[in-house]
Amino acid sequence: MFSASRSSLNVLRTKVGQSTYISAARMISGQRLRYSISAKTTSALCSKAIRHQNVYGANRVQRFHASAMANAKVPFLLADIGEGITECEVIQWFVKTGDKVEEFDRLCEVQSDKASVEITSRFTGTIASLKYKVGDMAKVGSPLVEIETGDAASGAEEPVAAAPDAVSSSTPAPEDGLKGRSHVVQDMNAVAAMMDIPSAAGGKPEVPTADHILTFATPAVRRVAKENNVDIANIKGSGKGGRVMKEDVMSYLANGRQSTATPKAAAPAATTSAKISIPRGEDKVTPLSMIQKAMFKQMTKSLSIPHFGFADEIVLDNATAFRSALNAHVAKTPEKYNFKKVSYMPIFIKALSIALEDYPIMNACVIDGEEASSAKLKYRASHNIGVAMDTPNGLLVPNIKNVQNLSVLEIASELARLQEAGKKNALSMADLKDGTVSLSNVGMIGGTYLNPVVVTSEVAIAAVGKMQRLPRFKMVEENGKMVERVVAQSIVNVSWSADHRVIDGATVARFSEAWKSVVENPFLLGGMLR
């Protein structure tokens, strides 16, 4: 039986806290292990419990090491990556069973409804088993892989010593491993079962094949293959390092699913052939992608918000001159910037931040908004302005943090970084979280007046339409007199949507006018510097 002195248990309570102490004390008293535990060993146990508590959460113990244990299988859990994400799709493995890994080596790539994330190892050892196949949905908090660390790599502070009356003279030597020690394995499995850790005697799940593990492709290409019911492992990639490109998938379909590499130069013809080969009028049912699932959930929630719409037009003649002056400066010192030209967006974003200083409710969010009696408004100090982007994975809205503290050129630099990351599907969770108000420049594609949808974590969003050169009446001076003339002006339309539960139409109109005045007169930016 496990026995522990009162002083040992007091040490345990002091070092790991009451909740972890209760779990460990139950384990000590409830498991029939043929060992005694000293205060020193208990201290080692506490250290192990504390480290596991920090990594995996409270009230869980990573593993116990006995002198008889030669190799420990450590379950590597899929950690919580934030934003309320509960599951991720495994899109590729970088390892297979039997591979040696070290700390920070890549294990796999998973796709959430926000972005793709590469998971790296926290342990050094050998891959014992993979818990998911490519395409499976991995649950947050569940094991991704089991890693066999061995005693030396396991980081055990103090092996558990056997009591003299617990080990007979016929017990094999330590180098014999687990032979003749079935009681140790059974007892350790009992501890593992109690602590919800996979046992050493557990069965091996089906693992991905080597073809799946060694196939390199972006999430967008994998989505195209999945939508066409194609096993991407059968396609020979023509990209760098054998990476499968979208053109390879289309060529594969066009060639009757023959596994051949297609030169990049032949890609347009292959795409055309693939489209022609699909029969007209054929129905096809495909599952939603992770991004589409996220939009489905978010927009369903957003439709519970009563929207108020407001639209106006902005004259960009002065903003065009201001932008030209900024670009002339950038051209003289290109080594200082990560972009070649300043677009209109940094000007729009900075002007929006200035208007928010006078109308902070437009930067707020509703909390506890199920009932009016409990609803509150949270006024946020940071202007984290989101910018809608069309990425290979679909619509994403990263945000530029603390715009109130940035210059137009600094905003342009951060915007260029986000756009480049979006093209590569490399936007991080930090880029996507904590937005306070959003701005969509869908006019780059087309459209004049739009109808954007407010997300539940914000109260306002604006959509900028395409810029047009249009005739407008304007008062001009001729021979010392002001006369009305028709002149050509650069016009852009902006459409606002606001949460009508907490924002009225007059507030939106005044805020939009404040924003418009700064965009139309960008020289005011200099006068507003602190």
Side-chain angles (χ1 to χ4, degrees):
M1 291 287 290
F2 242 140
S3 62
S5 64
R6 185 182 302 273
S7 60
S8 299
L9 293 178
N10 287 335
V11 170
L12 183 63
R13 178 188 287 109
T14 302
K15 291 201 173 186
V16 302
Q18 184 68 17
S19 59
T20 309
Y21 158 75
I22 292 171
S23 295
R26 285 174 179 171
M27 177 182 60
I28 291 172
S29 61
Q31 297 301 312
R32 295 186 175 181
L33 302 181
R34 299 185 179 92
Y35 304 111
S36 62
I37 184 166
S38 64
K40 182 180 179 181
T41 305
T42 304
S43 179
L45 169 63
C46 296
S47 300
K48 179 61 66 179
I50 292 169
R51 182 166 68 254
H52 186 274
Q53 184 177 13
N54 292 337
V55 176
Y56 295 103
N59 298 331
R60 300 193 63 181
V61 178
Q62 183 176 348
R63 57 191 178 273
F64 287 91
H65 287 273
S67 58
M69 296 295 291
N71 292 304
K73 290 184 179 179
V74 181
F76 183 94
L77 308 184
L78 177 59
D80 184 0
I81 55 180
E83 293 293 288
I85 294 171
T86 59
E87 61 181 10
C88 298
E89 180 182 0
V90 179
I91 58 177
Q92 69 172 317
W93 285 98
F94 300 116
V95 297
K96 59 183 181 294
T97 302
D99 282 357
K100 301 287 186 180
V101 294
E102 297 183 356
E103 288 188 63
F104 308 113
D105 280 357
R106 296 186 306 170
L107 297 178
C108 65
E109 183 178 4
V110 299
Q111 169 118 13
S112 70
D113 55 9
K114 299 284 186 180
S116 297
V117 180
E118 288 187 354
I119 305 297
T120 57
S121 177
R122 289 193 293 270
F123 307 105
T124 297
T126 303
I127 300 298
S129 63
L130 307 182
K131 298 298 185 181
Y132 295 97
K133 296 185 292 184
V134 172
D136 285 352
M137 300 301 295
K139 300 290 185 182
V140 169
S142 65
L144 275 175
V145 298
E146 276 190 334
I147 301 177
E148 194 171 277
T149 61
D151 263 354
S154 65
E157 287 79 11
E158 178 76 14
V160 178
D165 59 345
V167 183
S168 66
S169 59
S170 61
T171 302
E175 58 268 17
D176 291 337
L178 297 179
K179 294 180 181 179
R181 293 175 173 83
S182 60
H183 67 281
V184 176
V185 177
Q186 293 170 359
D187 288 341
M188 292 303 292
N189 286 344
V191 176
M194 187 182 72
M195 300 306 294
D196 196 25
I197 299 174
S199 66
K204 293 183 179 180
E206 185 180 355
V207 299
T209 64
D211 290 335
H212 283 99
I213 296 172
L214 300 178
T215 300
F216 296 97
T218 64
V221 173
R222 292 180 181 277
R223 185 182 71 234
V224 172
K226 191 172 183 179
E227 289 173 352
N228 289 278
N229 296 320
V230 173
D231 186 350
I232 201 167
N234 295 330
I235 302 175
K236 186 177 180 181
S238 62
K240 184 178 180 181
R243 183 178 293 274
V244 177
M245 313 298 288
K246 181 179 179 181
E247 293 83 359
D248 298 329
V249 179
M250 304 310 294
S251 176
Y252 178 82
L253 292 170
N255 293 331
R257 299 174 180 263
Q258 298 296 319
S259 181
T260 57
T262 304
K264 291 186 179 180
T271 304
T272 303
S273 301
K275 291 182 179 178
I276 294 174
S277 67
I278 299 175
R280 291 187 177 182
E282 180 180 339
D283 294 339
K284 183 171 64 173
V285 178
T286 61
L288 297 180
S289 67
M290 294 299 293
I291 299 298
Q292 289 171 327
K293 288 179 182 178
M295 289 179 61
F296 187 99
K297 295 176 183 177
Q298 184 62 62
M299 292 301 103
T300 301
K301 292 179 182 178
S302 294
L303 286 180
S304 66
I305 299 174
H307 281 52
F308 176 83
F310 179 85
D312 201 357
E313 66 177 34
I314 299 176
V315 179
L316 293 180
D317 291 349
N318 291 335
T320 300
F322 179 66
R323 174 173 173 256
S324 297
L326 290 176
N327 284 330
H329 167 73
V330 171
K332 291 179 181 178
T333 55
E335 69 281 356
K336 294 174 61 177
Y337 304 102
N338 62 339
F339 56 89
K340 294 181 179 179
K341 288 186 177 181
V342 179
S343 66
Y344 288 99
M345 279 299 286
I347 303 173
F348 293 157
I349 292 170
K350 185 60 182 178
L352 192 65
S353 177
I354 290 174
L356 288 174
E357 296 285 352
D358 293 328
Y359 295 89
I361 192 173
M362 301 295 287
N363 198 55
C365 66
V366 179
I367 56 177
D368 301 327
E370 295 296 329
E371 299 291 339
S373 58
S374 61
K376 300 180 182 66
L377 267 177
K378 180 180 179 181
Y379 288 85
R380 297 178 284 198
S382 296
H383 298 170
N384 299 339
I385 299 179
V387 182
M389 291 184 180
D390 183 25
T391 72
N393 270 354
L395 175 67
L396 294 175
V397 189
N399 61 83
I400 301 174
K401 302 287 195 294
N402 297 309
V403 174
Q404 75 277 6
N405 299 328
L406 303 178
S407 67
V408 173
L409 290 176
E410 289 171 331
I411 294 169
S413 177
E414 180 65 4
L415 183 61
R417 182 189 70 80
L418 293 175
Q419 289 171 334
E420 189 63 26
K423 292 176 183 177
K424 298 177 180 178
N425 291 319
L427 290 168
S428 67
M429 292 301 301
D431 294 328
L432 296 165
K433 65 188 299 187
D434 299 330
T436 59
V437 64
S438 296
L439 192 60
S440 172
N441 191 21
V442 72
M444 293 181 63
I445 302 173
T448 306
Y449 291 99
L450 306 114
N451 189 24
V453 179
V454 179
V455 297
T456 54
S457 59
E458 300 175 5
V459 295
I461 182 174
V464 179
K466 64 181 179 182
M467 188 175 73
Q468 305 174 84
R469 193 74 174 162
L470 299 173
R472 291 292 184 267
F473 287 101
K474 185 177 181 180
M475 299 299 295
V476 297
E477 185 177 356
E478 290 184 2
N479 300 323
K481 295 182 179 180
M482 299 299 294
V483 294
E484 190 176 56
R485 292 286 184 265
V486 176
V487 297
Q489 291 185 313
S490 297
I491 304 294
V492 68
N493 299 104
V494 58
S495 303
W496 280 97
S497 290
D499 187 340
H500 208 6
R501 296 175 301 176
V502 293
I503 299 178
D504 55 50
T507 300
V508 177
R510 292 188 183 101
F511 172 73
S512 181
E513 193 65 25
W515 177 46
K516 173 181 174 178
S517 66
V518 179
V519 174
E520 291 187 337
N521 302 284
F523 54 83
L524 293 175
L525 292 172
M528 294 176 178
L529 292 176
R530 293 184 175 88

